[in-house]
Amino acid sequence: MSASRIVVCPHCHRPNRVPEARLSEGGHCGHCQFPLFDGAPVALTAASFEQHVGRSELPIVIDFWAPWCGPCRAMAPAFAQAARQLEPDFRLAKVNTEDEQALAARFGIRSIPTLMIFRGGREVARQAGAMDVAGIVRWARSSG
């Protein structure tokens, strides 16, 4: 029997079991039929955060940001490009700290942008400050 991983859909936020050998093929959600990987960061709310961090068996790189933050806006295209490079080995997501203040407080976000990597529901790495695409990819692969 081949190994599989739970991948949470970026659209409906429901878990899907995907054979590891077929992860690079992408696949579609068994519930909503949208692609499981679309090369773009997922915008998370408090509810979808719990689904992705708690249920997904992929490491998840989260950008805690705010719309008024200049460095956050400057890093956004690099983060999106990093998503295209890191999927399907990682899921990239964004949390708007203005809309999700409880999540920012829960994780002690003091400066933005702050990137965090979660694996198996636990924080495994944190990096404050804006980075370019190469920096994000290198940091995720070495930390996640």
Side-chain angles (χ1 to χ4, degrees), residues 17-128:
R17 186 171 300 282
V18 180
E20 279 192 22
R22 301 199 65 196
L23 239 122
S24 63
E25 296 173 21
H28 289 80
C29 177
H31 305 282
C32 72
Q33 304 306 311
F34 281 99
L36 289 174
F37 299 102
D38 55 11
V42 180
L44 297 180
T45 63
S48 60
F49 180 93
E50 298 305 329
Q51 277 294 95
H52 283 269
V53 170
R55 298 288 310 270
S56 181
E57 293 178 350
L58 296 177
I60 182 166
V61 180
I62 301 177
D63 174 17
F64 287 86
W65 71 286
W68 51 262
C69 168
C72 298
R73 289 194 318 269
M75 188 179 80
F79 195 73
Q81 190 174 349
R84 290 188 291 278
Q85 291 183 28
L86 290 168
E87 284 185 353
D89 299 322
F90 291 83
R91 169 77 71 207
L92 274 71
K94 296 177 80 65
V95 171
N96 181 335
T97 59
E98 287 294 299
D99 295 340
E100 302 298 336
Q101 292 180 14
L103 277 177
R106 175 177 159 192
F107 292 103
I109 302 300
R110 303 271 184 254
S111 64
I112 51 175
T114 292
L115 299 179
M116 294 176 70
I117 300 177
F118 291 85
R119 181 185 291 275
R122 307 175 105 187
E123 178 185 343
V124 295
R126 181 184 294 227
Q127 174 70 43

Side-chain angles (χ1 to χ4, degrees), residues 78 82 86 115 127 130-142:
L86 290 168
L115 299 179
Q127 174 70 43
M131 290 192 284
D132 62 9
V133 178
I136 295 167
V137 170
R138 185 173 41 256
W139 176 74
R141 287 191 174 139
S142 67

